[in-house]
Amino acid sequence: MTSTRTASKQTLSLMAMAVLASLLSQTSQTSQAADAMRVYIGAYTQNGGRGINQASFDPNTGELKLLGLVGEAKNPSFLALPANDEFLYSVNEIGDYSATRGGMLSAFAVDAESGKLSLLNHESTEGTGPCFVSLDKEGKHALVANYGNGTVAVLPIDAVGKLQPASSVMQQEGSGPNTARQEGPHAHSIKLDAANRFALACDLGADKVFVYRFDPTKGTLTPNETPWFQTAPGAGPRHLAFHPNGKWVYVVNELDCTLVAAAYDAEQGVLKALQTETTLPPGGVEGNTCAEVVVHPSGKFVYASNRGHDSIAMFAIDATTGKLTPLGQHPAGGKTPRNFNIDPSGKFLLAALQGSNRVVVHAIDQATGKLTQTDHAIETPMPVCIKFVP
């Protein structure tokens, strides 16, 4: 009788442990699901793509899962989201929008549950070949760069997220020694500083970072008293990234494959060069061009992408001076790393590999800043832009 009771107690104990393990597993899965964030992927649509795709990203493990198409669009190459994540804005790299026969900017409403996008409207970018869009900190204006004709423009956003016709258009001027790529101005990006006072616009063709005063009430740009920051002849400035402290800016040059560290005077809107480093190994790589630059959320590291060498260049940032220490190059995991982004936790870097039709996840060593490729990746046509939504 005693052995029967003992066996019965053991059976109940095992059942209880099994139930507890199941509950703990469910709790863990629920917690991970709660931590998961959306990733929107901008892309070109010449290779079977249909628009903007969505993925789910787990910041605990680095796992990336493709969820599929959420917004049909033609060549939605670069994306921007306001802080409230209610809307999404996408440039459309086309040349036949409406009567302007130029580029287009699209506005989408974001479904809070599914992440699916509903088109609100679109407007002319007042230029050709739009390749970059950013927003002011209030989410009331979209700023766009037109590569084809070298203009930058501001488009107001109304209370329901719709775009309005451009309130300001600036024609940039200049050329460079690379006659194949710098025959005239080619605006490649435009970003506002943290104070929403100055807009910095990289122009690949003019070898300049143009600086504009921004009026958030009127939605206008006017040239700053010091109207530009001059890069080296033939450098081809493409994108820039602000350091979290607002005192330094890092400019990646597409053509000469360098990264410039610059001091930023937020009161005057003036950049001053501190240092220039190559993004490539000794001896260089023929035919390489740079694409993106991103500062780590900690402010300790900065990264730049090499297309051709197909790598991510890694640099440590001096906490006192803002200067760079090169950490080498890490294989991107495929061809043509266009845009890449770092998740808000700073643990992982997602590289959009346009030439390999995939997005690859890399882990970031929090102490050294160096990258390690993980086993996590997704296949998606011609990805060129990564945006996280917590």
Side-chain angles (χ1 to χ4, degrees):
M1 184 71 116
T2 301
S3 64
T4 302
R5 286 199 195 99
T6 301
S8 178
K9 287 180 179 178
Q10 290 174 343
T11 301
L12 288 171
S13 178
L14 289 170
M15 290 174 63
M17 290 174 65
V19 170
L20 179 59
S22 175
L23 288 172
L24 288 172
S25 175
Q26 291 175 20
T27 301
S28 176
Q29 291 173 7
T30 301
S31 175
Q32 289 183 9
D35 289 339
M37 61 181 67
R38 291 183 190 130
V39 177
Y40 286 113
I41 304 168
Y44 288 120
T45 51
Q46 299 98 316
N47 194 25
R50 294 168 52 200
I52 301 166
N53 283 315
Q54 182 185 198
S56 173
F57 177 71
D58 186 337
N60 299 301
T61 65
E63 184 178 19
L64 186 66
K65 294 181 179 178
L66 183 64
L67 302 179
L69 182 73
V70 287
E72 289 203 35
K74 187 174 181 181
N75 289 340
S77 63
F78 211 89
L79 315 176
L81 292 97
N84 60 19
D85 303 323
E86 292 180 357
F87 309 106
L88 181 147
Y89 299 90
S90 165
V91 298
N92 299 96
E93 285 196 41
I94 61 174
D96 57 357
Y97 176 64
S98 186
T100 64
R101 312 303 295 176
M104 181 173 78
L105 188 65
S106 296
F108 297 89
V110 177
D111 182 89
E113 295 298 320
S114 68
K116 289 187 176 180
L117 307 175
S118 301
L119 181 66
L120 295 173
N121 75 326
H122 37 68
E123 283 288 345
S124 169
T125 61
E126 299 298 331
T128 59
C131 58
F132 190 94
V133 59
S134 61
L135 305 174
D136 70 343
K137 67 179 182 179
E138 303 297 335
K140 294 181 178 179
H141 298 90
L143 289 81
V144 62
N146 293 296
Y147 180 87
N149 66 332
T151 58
V152 293
V154 180
L155 282 73
I157 299 169
D158 70 15
V160 295
K162 289 186 176 181
L163 295 162
Q164 305 301 304
S167 54
S168 185
V169 181
M170 300 299 296
Q171 175 65 64
Q172 298 179 169
E173 301 290 346
S175 60
N178 185 331
T179 55
R181 297 290 309 277
Q182 297 183 305
E183 79 294 342
H186 292 300
H188 221 310
S189 62
I190 181 166
K191 279 186 176 181
L192 283 161
D193 64 8
N196 229 34
R197 292 183 60 202
F198 296 100
L200 278 59
C202 291
D203 195 298
L204 180 147
D207 281 330
K208 292 174 181 175
V209 178
F210 288 89
V211 182
Y212 301 99
R213 289 186 175 274
F214 174 65
D215 185 329
T217 303
K218 300 177 181 178
T220 55
L221 299 173
T222 53
N224 191 31
E225 284 79 1
T226 302
W228 61 70
F229 168 72
Q230 183 75 54
T231 64
R238 179 183 172 102
H239 284 188
L240 61 80
F242 286 91
H243 190 276
N245 66 15
K247 296 192 299 183
W248 306 313
V249 170
Y250 300 92
V251 181
V252 69
N253 293 310
E254 176 173 338
L255 301 182
D256 73 357
C257 304
T258 59
L259 184 65
V260 176
Y264 179 61
D265 182 339
E267 288 299 316
Q268 303 297 321
V270 174
L271 292 166
K272 181 181 179 181
L274 298 171
Q275 176 190 14
T276 300
E277 292 286 344
T278 180
T279 64
L280 294 169
V285 177
E286 187 175 355
N288 186 81
T289 57
C290 288
E292 186 58 276
V293 56
V294 178
V295 175
H296 191 273
S298 68
K300 294 180 179 180
F301 315 106
V302 61
Y303 304 87
S305 58
N306 287 307
R307 299 173 296 178
H309 190 241
D310 295 332
S311 64
I312 306 295
M314 306 168 291
F315 301 86
I317 298 174
D318 186 282
T320 303
T321 65
K323 290 187 176 182
L324 305 170
T325 299
L327 302 175
Q329 295 78 28
H330 170 74
K335 296 179 180 179
T336 324
R338 183 70 173 270
N339 174 254
F340 62 89
N341 213 341
I342 297 172
D343 83 280
S345 76
K347 295 178 182 177
F348 297 98
L349 180 151
L350 276 60
L353 304 170
Q354 179 185 343
S356 295
N357 299 311
R358 65 199 308 248
V359 177
V360 174
V361 181
H362 303 267
I364 303 173
D365 187 306
Q366 302 300 291
T368 67
K370 292 198 171 184
L371 303 175
T372 302
Q373 185 173 331
T374 72
D375 294 330
H376 303 301
I378 57 173
E379 307 295 320
T380 184
M382 299 186 77
V384 297
C385 183
I386 304 290
K387 290 295 181 183
F388 289 96
V389 183

